[in-house]
Amino acid sequence: MLHRVKLRNGTEAPAIGQGTWYLGENRAVRERELAGIRQGIGAGMTLLDTAEMYGNGAAESLLGEALRGMNREKLYLVSKVLPGNAGGTRMRRALAGSLSRMGVSELDLYLYHWRGQYPLSETVGRLEELRREGLIRAWGVSNFDIEDMEELWALPEGRHCLVNQVLYHTGSRGIEYSLLPWMREHEVALMSYCPLAQAGNLRRGLFENEVLREIAAAHQASVPEILLAWNIRDGHTIAIPRSSRPEHTLQNAAADRITLCEEELRAIDWAYPAPTRKQYLDMQ
Ligand code: NAP
């Protein structure tokens, strides 16, 4: 069992879950991807993050196949609605599509993927309807910066937002300056996406960094494991690394056993300093 993160609505989820972007799009590796998801769940990564956007539903369909026959109550299922579907009757239809592809009758968490044209009050109204009807157990947002969160908080039901899913990895720490403290104060959990900087591609040299390599060697672990252990170090964060390979997925689950000491955290701060001023929200 992995460490669990307690959420404001009384539920909890494992600190490391599984992302699914780009999965389910290539027949040739489908069996490997299915095995990875299932083995990851077996290792405790029972939170699955997907979106209607990913492969136009292909990732949700892959999950549907992977989860068949599993105990639904042991899973924490997250999907996201596209901005263009975030209002009117479109959201209900979009959610129905996601549920059908995933083969379940409700989601644990439904996220507004990023802000679009619909007024925020309209989107919150539709999310609340779906929550009251039991089609989603909770809702949250994604790619919201502090001004967006403040706008949300000013709406009567905006404060029901449980999670903000944003990009966060060792090489991109901008949210630590003001967004993350705001979220902690208002008990909005951080779900960090791209926790491995897309295998280091979003921050050149990350996987090869000497400081991270030394820390990894000291823990008999890999650099990706250290990046994940760092990501969830405060006990309130959920990281959602994605892999198409069972061996990587199991390695990612194993990161949960690593606690970085003060000296190691200082060394990482030296290599990748925390922000000293407000930065634009990093996105993918
Ligand atoms: P990521 O998890 O940072 O990196 C994925 C890459 O890392 C893949 O290329 C994978 O390759 C590699 N990898 C995984 N585990 C590894 C390991 N142990 N050793 C070496 N390489 C490893 O990137 P991401 O998929 O963009 O982000 C994670 C998830 O966040 C997504 O899948 C998605 O669910 C979510 N997301 C949300 C948003 C949003 O706007 N809300 C945006 C981006 C992502 P292999 O397949 O070869 O292992």
Side-chain angles (χ1 to χ4, degrees):
M1 177 116 136
L2 305 188
H3 281 105
R4 317 264 311 163
V5 172
K6 287 192 177 29
L7 300 168
R8 206 181 65 239
N9 67 345
T11 59
E12 50 178 47
I16 304 178
Q18 303 188 55
T20 61
W21 199 11
Y22 298 115
L23 300 188
E25 297 181 27
N26 180 355
R27 277 254 141 231
V29 294
R30 192 172 185 86
E31 288 309 315
R32 196 183 78 197
E33 291 176 350
L34 288 168
I37 293 167
R38 292 181 183 133
Q39 289 182 34
I41 291 171
M45 298 162 98
T46 52
L47 181 145
L48 290 313
D49 177 82
T50 191
E52 60 171 337
M53 185 195 96
Y54 301 163
N56 279 322
E60 290 178 329
S61 298
L62 181 80
L63 273 186
E65 190 175 340
L67 306 181
R68 213 172 287 150
M70 288 193 187
N71 181 348
R72 168 67 182 90
E73 288 315 307
K74 293 223 150 71
L75 304 170
Y76 194 99
L77 302 179
V78 186
S79 192
K80 310 183 195 81
V81 62
L82 280 166
N85 287 335
T89 54
R90 296 182 70 98
M91 193 190 288
R92 183 173 294 278
R93 232 177 305 145
L95 176 64
S98 294
L99 292 173
S100 148
R101 286 185 288 273
M102 294 168 79
V104 294
S105 55
E106 63 187 330
L107 292 180
D108 293 276
L109 184 64
Y110 200 33
L111 302 178
Y112 179 25
H113 209 150
W114 68 88
R115 282 193 79 169
Q117 295 305 314
Y118 282 106
L120 201 49
S121 55
E122 160 76 8
T123 298
V124 168
R126 299 292 82 77
L127 287 165
E128 279 290 299
E129 275 172 22
L130 299 174
R131 187 178 69 84
R132 282 194 288 270
E133 288 170 35
L135 293 167
I136 58 176
R137 293 177 184 169
W139 61 265
V141 295
S142 179
N143 298 303
F144 268 43
D145 206 342
I146 194 159
E147 297 79 17
D148 304 302
M149 292 308 298
E150 276 169 350
E151 201 179 321
L152 187 60
W153 240 239
L155 297 171
E157 293 177 311
R159 296 175 183 216
H160 290 166
C161 169
L162 194 63
V163 162
N164 185 15
Q165 183 180 116
V166 289
L167 185 151
Y168 183 54
H169 60 74
T170 314
S172 182
R173 302 179 59 172
I175 63 165
E176 288 178 35
Y177 185 73
S178 55
L179 178 62
L180 190 53
W182 188 99
M183 287 165 55
R184 293 291 177 245
E185 189 189 331
H186 296 85
E187 294 184 282
V188 175
L190 167 64
M191 194 176 277
S192 40
Y193 75 68
C194 299
L196 300 175
Q198 296 191 334
N201 289 319
L202 300 180
R203 180 71 192 253
R204 195 176 300 170
L206 189 66
F207 272 31
E208 295 77 32
N209 180 272
E210 268 313 313
V211 169
L212 294 171
R213 280 189 164 186
E214 272 179 33
I215 296 172
H219 287 271
Q220 294 176 311
S222 64
V223 167
E225 282 173 84
I226 299 305
L227 293 173
L228 292 174
W230 179 88
N231 205 290
I232 61 167
R233 67 197 179 286
D234 69 358
H236 300 290
T237 299
I238 297 168
I240 47 168
R242 173 249 320 176
S243 177
S244 61
R245 297 170 194 281
E247 64 275 21
H248 282 173
T249 302
L250 293 177
Q251 210 178 81
N252 296 343
D256 186 66
R257 75 185 152 79
I258 301 172
T259 305
L260 300 171
C261 70
E262 287 300 324
E263 197 184 329
E264 290 168 334
L265 291 173
R266 267 198 303 275
I268 294 175
D269 282 343
W270 176 80
Y272 295 99
T276 52
R277 58 181 172 77
K278 172 76 184 139
Q279 295 174 6
Y280 283 113
L281 187 62
D282 201 355
M283 288 186 206
Q284 267 304 296

